Amino acid sequence: MRLLVTAGPTREYLDDVRYLSNASSGRMGYAIVEAALAQGWEVVLISGPVDLSPPVGCEFHSVMTTAQMREEAVRLFPDCDGVIAAAAVCDYKPKERIQGKMSKVGGPVTIEMIETDDVLAELGQCKDHRWVVGFALEAQNPRENALQKLRRKNCDWIVLNSPEAIGSDSNTVEFIAAGGETVGHWSGTKTNVARSLIEWLSQQLSAD
Ligand code: CTP
């Protein structure tokens, strides 16, 4: 099994020194990489900027922006059997990146933002025989939104979690299949949740 994992946040630059991002630590994605390596899988990790060392044994690709994550993911996915998209990708980016450093203007500024590429949706579209696991971070109507996301992004399964997961050591997740049924409910450290997820996938995929 050769697994692609996206992890960590992305950054979208306003100018050469300022960026928009989020508080994702990358811990969930990195725990998934560790668990998959322990299962004997080959793992390709595409990671945004985090304070973690790449797990020993994985193939590591470092990125900053969503566009870079997309480019690497589209390039590396064809050689993999499946993807787990744990990255907390920025949804918007400034329409224009200012060269150098933006100066103060003496009053409020308005920054026009446009949507970034949806990495997972693009992988879902071109997956063919490959399997796709997405994450859904939901504050309201969690199950309904997660299911919509699963379908919109053509995932086989989706891991539903809540904003409390961001930056935390632990997580509580519901694992939902394409038909809408809950096939796993795991809670605990991100290491333990990642192990449960990889064990479940390993059993399921070897049974296919
Ligand atoms: N994702 C992605 N590229 C994006 C946005 C999200 O690959 N530009 C992936 C995430 O890695 C995750 C899944 O899509 O696996 C869902 O991410 P989430 O932030 O929950 O949802 P969004 O699609 O961003 O939608 P919204 O923020 O409106 O809930």
Side-chain angles (χ1 to χ4, degrees):
M1 185 70 70
R2 190 171 163 84
L3 169 68
L4 178 66
V5 176
T6 67
T10 55
R11 286 182 185 171
E12 301 304 335
Y13 285 86
L14 287 162
D15 60 21
D16 290 346
V17 294
R18 302 186 182 90
Y19 56 81
L20 297 159
S21 192
N22 60 68
S24 165
S25 65
R27 277 200 285 264
M28 191 68 238
Y30 278 55
I32 289 169
V33 173
E34 301 266 15
L37 289 168
Q39 194 73 33
W41 294 6
E42 284 175 36
V43 186
V44 180
L45 169 61
I46 304 172
S47 177
V50 295
D51 285 335
L52 303 169
S53 303
V56 175
C58 77
E59 182 186 312
F60 181 66
H61 300 266
S62 170
V63 297
M64 284 290 175
T65 65
T66 306
Q68 290 167 352
M69 183 171 276
R70 179 214 161 257
E71 197 179 319
E72 288 295 72
V74 168
R75 183 173 73 81
L76 296 163
F77 190 45
D79 279 337
C80 295
D81 299 299
V83 60
I84 302 180
V89 183
C90 286
D91 289 336
Y92 287 93
K93 64 178 177 185
K95 189 171 178 200
E96 277 168 63
R97 175 174 171 164
I98 292 159
Q99 300 246 307
K101 181 172 169 270
M102 198 171 119
S103 304
K104 274 198 286 195
V105 293
V109 286
T110 303
I111 296 160
E112 195 178 349
M113 308 274 279
I114 55 170
E115 276 191 27
T116 55
D117 301 319
D118 194 315
V119 183
L120 176 61
E122 194 165 341
L123 299 183
Q125 238 166 37
C126 67
K127 70 178 180 179
D128 296 329
H129 57 282
R130 291 173 207 87
W131 50 269
V132 172
V133 176
F135 268 71
L137 192 71
E138 304 299 342
Q140 295 103 21
N141 305 323
R143 230 177 166 280
E144 201 177 305
N145 288 346
L147 272 173
Q148 274 181 17
K149 229 167 250 184
L150 181 151
R151 288 174 188 141
R152 196 170 69 238
K153 304 193 189 208
N154 203 21
C155 298
D156 298 281
W157 297 281
I158 200 152
V159 181
L160 166 59
N161 59 8
S162 71
E164 288 92 74
I166 291 275
S168 167
D169 269 338
S170 58
N171 204 354
T172 295
V173 310
E174 195 176 331
F175 192 48
I176 304 172
E181 65 280 17
T182 299
V183 290
H185 222 137
W186 304 305
S187 193
T189 61
K190 288 185 174 172
T191 301
N192 284 338
V193 170
R195 279 190 195 137
S196 302
L197 171 63
I198 293 296
E199 272 165 27
W200 191 94
L201 284 171
S202 183
Q203 277 181 12
Q204 180 69 25
L205 296 165
S206 63
D208 282 351

